Amino acid sequence: MKEKPEESLDPKDWEEFRRFAHGILDDSIDYLAGVRERAVWRPVPESVKGQFKSPLPQAGEGEAAAYAAYRELVAPYPLGNIHPRFWGWVIGTGTPMGLMAELLAATMNNNAGGFDQSASYVEAQAIA
């Protein structure tokens, strides 16, 4: 009997993923560094809103296509709260180190709801 290969969500090529991830990180840093040159807020055009009304694809389109869609349809139209001239209400702003902290948190993908793990102790310390 032929053994089924193990299923995995890991990249097929870790070095290719590393290059892709570094590109996203560089783009994210450029996005933060250039925030002052952009408008505080831009309305989402009807043509972009329409893209979110179609059904999701039934098959994966790949990381590059997903990231291209993010760059075209999501990144240009934020709430604006990371902009230094966003004075509508106080939400708090993102920071470059916040980007890194979110990256680290997503890397560990912790459920801090309990258990004997470091994330639970960090959360308890922050709450205290």
Side-chain angles (χ1 to χ4, degrees), residues 2-62:
K2 189 173 183 180
E3 192 173 314
K4 275 179 73 172
E6 181 180 341
E7 292 189 34
S8 173
L9 296 177
D10 288 351
K12 291 184 183 359
D13 181 334
W14 280 101
E15 286 307 311
E16 182 179 325
F17 175 76
R18 182 183 306 276
R19 285 188 293 279
F20 180 69
H22 277 269
I24 291 175
L25 179 59
D26 288 342
D27 290 347
S28 297
I29 293 169
D30 289 345
Y31 185 83
L32 293 177
V35 71
R36 284 172 171 73
E37 287 89 47
R38 293 191 302 273
V40 175
W41 177 79
R42 292 172 54 194
V44 181
E46 291 302 319
S47 60
V48 171
K49 290 178 187 177
Q51 296 288 320
F52 294 106
K53 294 178 181 172
S54 60
L56 293 173
Q58 294 297 309
E61 297 180 349

Side-chain angles (χ1 to χ4, degrees), residues 82-105:
I82 67 168
H83 200 287
R85 292 187 307 273
F86 181 83
W87 299 326
W89 56 86
V90 178
I91 288 181
T93 184
T95 65
M97 283 309 297
L99 169 67
M100 297 294 95
E102 291 288 344
L103 174 68
L104 295 173

Side-chain angles (χ1 to χ4, degrees), residues 106-117:
T107 298
M108 290 187 71
N109 193 27
N110 280 309
N111 175 344
F115 312 106
D116 188 19
Q117 61 167 320

